[in-house]
């Protein structure tokens, strides 16, 4: 039996049909399709970036108000009122960039009331080379003042349990991006277990989540860059991961891999302060 292809969760095409998993968030088959631009990192040794959520359900309007959609085919979260946290593999470089449209404030990407803001620049994680460090910041042309931000974990205390994933990505491998935001829950997978299907896992920089035995629920293509989050001790949402990559979507034995936000929290804060 051949080995399943690796995939990053964005919109770049194989490398053996690698699904850019985390570029668009969760969605179910049959949902309306939204056209997406497909600019992503060009030379990544990792699997396809994730694009959309498999096995999810529709999110309610206002349920996750910090979620945003990038016109490059990725998801993201509002780190500050004018900075989006997303995945490095969604872009081919850091620097000035006014070509990205950020959609926020609506579960329906075609909602006339959705907020649309242009980007001014992109900062990929310093030293990013396609192996780990899969986070990036997008500066907005103006702040989105009427939506809440999503705080990030700065310790490993929340890097366990069950997590929420959400996005406008594919609802199955080889599917299409969705018009409506979808959500799902996935359980933490420890490093030792995750290392078996993913020997290239970087335990200090990546966190795994998914149903090892059954599969069926996962981020997928165009979910890349979106947040993986849970409730903290104060019952507030906190981001623990950034959708990064995986082998296929929702396959048994192959959980999704996410950038471990707590490991990079100080770097993200420092970058945002000078961005």
């Amino acid at each position: 039996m051949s080995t399943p292809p690796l995939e990053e969760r964005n919109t770049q095409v194989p490398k053996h049909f690698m699904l850019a998993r985390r570029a668009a968030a969760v969605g179910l088959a049959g949902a309306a399709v939204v056209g997406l631009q497909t600019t992503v990192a060009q030379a990544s040794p990792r699997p396809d970036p994730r694009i959309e959520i498999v096995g999810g359900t529709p999110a309610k309007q206002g349920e996750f108000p910090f979620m945003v959609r990038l016109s490059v085919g990725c998801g993201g979260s509002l780190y500050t009122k004018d900075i989006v946290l997303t995945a490095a593999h969604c872009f081919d470089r850091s620097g000035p960039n006014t070509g990205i449209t950020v959609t926020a404030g609506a579960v329906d990407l075609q909602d006339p009331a959705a907020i649309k803001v242009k980007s001014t620049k992109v900062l990929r994680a310093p030293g990013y080379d396609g192996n780990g460090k899969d986070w990036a910041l997008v500066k907005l042309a103006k702040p989105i003042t009427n939506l809440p931000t999503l705080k990030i974990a700065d310790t490993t205390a929340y890097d366990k349990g069950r997590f929420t994933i959400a996005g406008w990505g594919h609802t199955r491998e080889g599917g299409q991006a969705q018009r409506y935001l979808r959500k799902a829950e996935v359980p933490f997978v420890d490093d030792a277990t995750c290392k078996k299907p993913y020997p290239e896992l970087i335990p200090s920089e990546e966190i795994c989540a998914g149903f090892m035995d059954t599969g069926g629920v996962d981020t997928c293509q165009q979910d890349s860059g979106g947040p993986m989050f849970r409730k903290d001790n104060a019952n507030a949402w906190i981001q623990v991961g950034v959708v990064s990559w995986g082998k296929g979507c929702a396959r048994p034995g192959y959980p999704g891999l996410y950038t471990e936000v707590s490991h990079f929290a100080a770097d993200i804060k420092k970058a945002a302060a000078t961005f």
Side-chain angles (χ1 to χ4, degrees):
M1 180 180 294
S2 61
T3 301
L6 295 180
E7 31 181 273
E8 260 179 315
R9 277 99 203 254
N10 209 315
T11 49
Q12 65 188 68
V13 181
K15 242 169 178 179
H16 307 308
F17 189 45
M18 299 194 300
L19 302 180
R21 172 184 297 209
R22 322 307 182 179
V26 183
L28 295 183
V33 178
V34 177
L36 298 174
Q37 182 178 336
T38 58
T39 301
V40 297
Q42 308 219 334
S44 173
R46 289 301 183 98
D48 301 324
R50 293 308 173 100
I51 303 171
E52 175 177 298
I53 293 169
V54 178
T57 58
K60 297 177 182 178
Q61 177 63 31
E63 188 172 7
F64 309 121
F66 45 76
M67 291 288 305
V68 304
R69 177 72 175 168
L70 307 181
S71 59
V72 294
C74 286
S77 58
L78 284 176
Y79 175 70
T80 69
K81 297 293 187 179
D82 62 351
I83 296 177
V84 169
L85 175 61
T86 184
H89 73 250
C90 294
F91 314 98
D92 58 7
R93 66 180 64 86
S94 296
N97 188 328
T98 59
I100 302 167
T101 299
V102 173
T103 301
V107 296
D108 178 2
L109 294 178
Q110 296 182 19
D111 187 337
I115 299 167
K116 305 276 188 179
V117 182
K118 285 290 188 178
S119 62
T120 60
K121 54 185 175 180
V122 170
L123 174 64
R124 298 201 302 178
Y128 173 74
D129 63 0
N131 292 287
K133 298 180 177 66
D134 194 9
W135 62 269
L137 301 177
V138 176
K139 183 75 169 182
L140 305 181
K142 60 181 181 179
I144 301 176
T145 58
N146 60 334
L147 293 178
T149 58
L150 177 60
K151 67 178 179 179
I152 63 174
D154 56 9
T155 75
T156 60
Y158 300 109
D159 292 354
K160 57 187 176 182
R162 293 179 70 87
F163 309 117
T164 297
I165 50 177
W168 291 268
H170 297 193
T171 53
R172 60 181 175 83
E173 286 188 33
Q176 295 174 312
Q178 305 297 300
R179 171 177 172 177
Y180 299 96
L181 181 68
R182 299 186 71 83
K183 64 178 181 178
E185 288 191 355
V186 287
F188 168 72
V189 175
D190 65 84
D191 291 341
T193 301
C194 195
K195 262 283 190 182
K196 295 175 182 178
Y198 295 117
E200 60 272 76
L201 171 72
I202 305 174
S204 64
E205 298 185 4
E206 296 172 319
I207 183 172
C208 304
F211 294 91
M212 286 292 295
D213 294 338
T214 62
V217 181
D218 197 4
T219 51
C220 194
Q221 294 156 308
Q222 291 187 37
D223 279 329
S224 289
M228 179 171 73
F229 48 100
R230 53 159 291 177
K231 290 294 183 71
D232 65 11
N233 292 336
N235 201 37
W237 291 118
I238 188 168
Q239 183 170 351
V240 300
V242 175
V243 178
S244 185
W245 64 282
K247 292 181 179 179
C249 299
R251 297 178 185 179
Y254 293 95
L257 279 81
Y258 302 77
T259 301
E260 190 170 348
V261 169
S262 61
H263 180 80
F264 296 104
D267 294 334
I268 293 170
K269 182 179 180 179
K270 180 180 179 180
T274 59
F275 192 32

